[in-house]
Amino acid sequence: MTGPFLLLHAADNVLVARRAAPEGTEVALDSGAVRLTRPVPLAHKIARHAIAPGDTILKYGLPIGTATEAIAPGDHVHVHNIRSNYTPTHALQDADGVSAGVAQ
């Protein structure tokens, strides 16, 4: 654990907030301590180290997105600087219980 942040898997390049962390919170990272430049809500992520545009974001040791811009250590990692890589794992059904476009 790193203060209010938690490393979920050794391969992760993000840490997850286990409680809300206000702007100015100091976080110890492998590269040294950083101060948050914005508040980070519960369950949101910060960069564990520098992440380059196009790098894969790893959480739980699994890819969850791709960086759309450079992300500095300690920066908030969210929809403003990553693109999701999640793929659908189920189909939502219409109100009548039939999935649109799915053969029966």
Side-chain angles (χ1 to χ4, degrees), residues 45 51 55 57 64-69 71 77-84:
K45 300 166 296 301
I51 300 171
D55 282 358
I57 306 300
I64 63 162
T66 302
T68 58
E69 60 187 60
I71 305 171
V77 176
H78 199 50
V79 297
H80 65 283
N81 55 12
I82 68 170
R83 180 185 71 247
S84 176

Side-chain angles (χ1 to χ4, degrees), residues 13-102:
N13 53 6
V14 295
L15 301 172
V16 179
R18 57 189 185 98
R19 64 177 182 263
E23 180 179 341
T25 298
E26 186 171 292
V27 182
L29 301 175
D30 293 338
S31 59
V34 297
R35 288 199 183 277
L36 299 181
T37 59
R38 62 190 288 179
V40 177
L42 169 70
H44 281 230
K45 300 166 296 301
I46 62 168
R48 184 176 175 199
H49 52 75
I51 300 171
D55 282 358
T56 299
I57 306 300
L58 298 173
K59 180 180 172 187
Y60 297 111
L62 300 170
I64 63 162
T66 302
T68 58
E69 60 187 60
I71 305 171
D75 279 358
H76 188 204
V77 176
H78 199 50
V79 297
H80 65 283
N81 55 12
I82 68 170
R83 180 185 71 247
S84 176
N85 285 354
Y86 285 124
T87 56
T89 57
H90 66 280
L92 296 177
Q93 294 184 333
D94 294 331
D96 65 0
V98 178
S99 295
V102 178

